Amino acid sequence: MDRALFGVAPVALPHFSQSDVMKPCILLIEDDSDMLDLVAGHLEHSGFEVQRAAEGIKGQALAMQYVPDLILLDLMLPKVDGITLCQRLRREERTAKIPILMLTALGGTKDKVSGFNSGADDYLTKPFDLEELTVRVKALLRRSDRAPLSTKHNEILNYGCLTLVPERFEAIWFDAAVRLTHLEFELLHCLLQRHGQTVAPSLILKEVWGYEPDDDIETIRVHVRHLRTKLEPDPRKPRFIKTVYGAGYCLELPNGSTVPAPATPLPTPVEAERRP
């Protein structure tokens, strides 16, 4: 139909280019200028928007300003180091739930434990392959996006004394609400789907983190330890989240409320750091 015949001016429809589509925003905090340019360029080429900071104070300010979808955080930074900055970001309500991937040349077990204890979600040791970085970034973003929607019809969300609340990332544990991080929630959810069964580390890494790093189970150990701190009466002698040596982890729950409620959980490492 010719709209001009009826005295109606043609309306130009808006054109949306690919650049108009909202891109995931990544904040890269790295003091090495060559590394900063290399990683930022790769991520931008891969379809991400990248904000850059070369030191910790500016990084924290940009995190508060942009509230990015993910933060890549170098451990060795001027002014404010990565561990301290990670703890600060976890304390701030605006940035507490942003996935954080640490990038560092310190690859020892103690360094990884320190990074995870400060609140990091993942840890990548330099030098690393840029494609591996992209895989881990996408895995963290996928997990972050899907976490509030973990309510498929065939999923188990409660058994005995445990109920998971995906909307709030909480566990109702012996009638008490326990706040969890995204990773803690996903890890507990993974174990709950197979309660009473031994779950292999490779399956946990694939289901919770979205990848299968070679022989890197320290990631799981740290987060299991955090869960035990929040749920076990005595985290050093776990009754519910058990280690099956050489095989994996097993969540054993009492069916019913006959087991007395655990004692008040100890603070997590980040919470403890906040106390005077």
Side-chain angles (χ1 to χ4, degrees), residues 87 90-92 179 268-276:
Q87 292 170 340
R90 287 292 177 245
R91 290 198 298 264
E92 293 288 344
R179 294 187 62 182
T268 64
V270 173
E271 291 170 342
E273 190 272 341
R274 296 173 58 184
R275 296 188 175 185

Side-chain angles (χ1 to χ4, degrees), residues 139-192:
L140 283 172
L141 290 173
R142 279 197 307 271
R143 182 172 48 75
S144 178
D145 287 340
R146 77 169 186 264
L149 305 176
S150 299
T151 53
K152 298 177 183 177
H153 293 300
N154 61 346
E155 287 185 327
I156 301 171
L157 291 179
N158 66 279
Y159 183 87
C161 55
L162 174 65
T163 298
L164 298 183
V165 185
E167 296 79 11
R168 300 194 299 272
F169 297 104
E170 284 184 355
I172 307 302
W173 180 240
F174 288 97
D175 298 323
V178 179
R179 294 187 62 182
L180 304 172
T181 66
H182 284 207
L183 271 173
E184 290 166 354
F185 184 93
E186 290 288 343
L187 176 56
L188 187 57
H189 179 270
C190 175
L191 295 174
L192 179 60

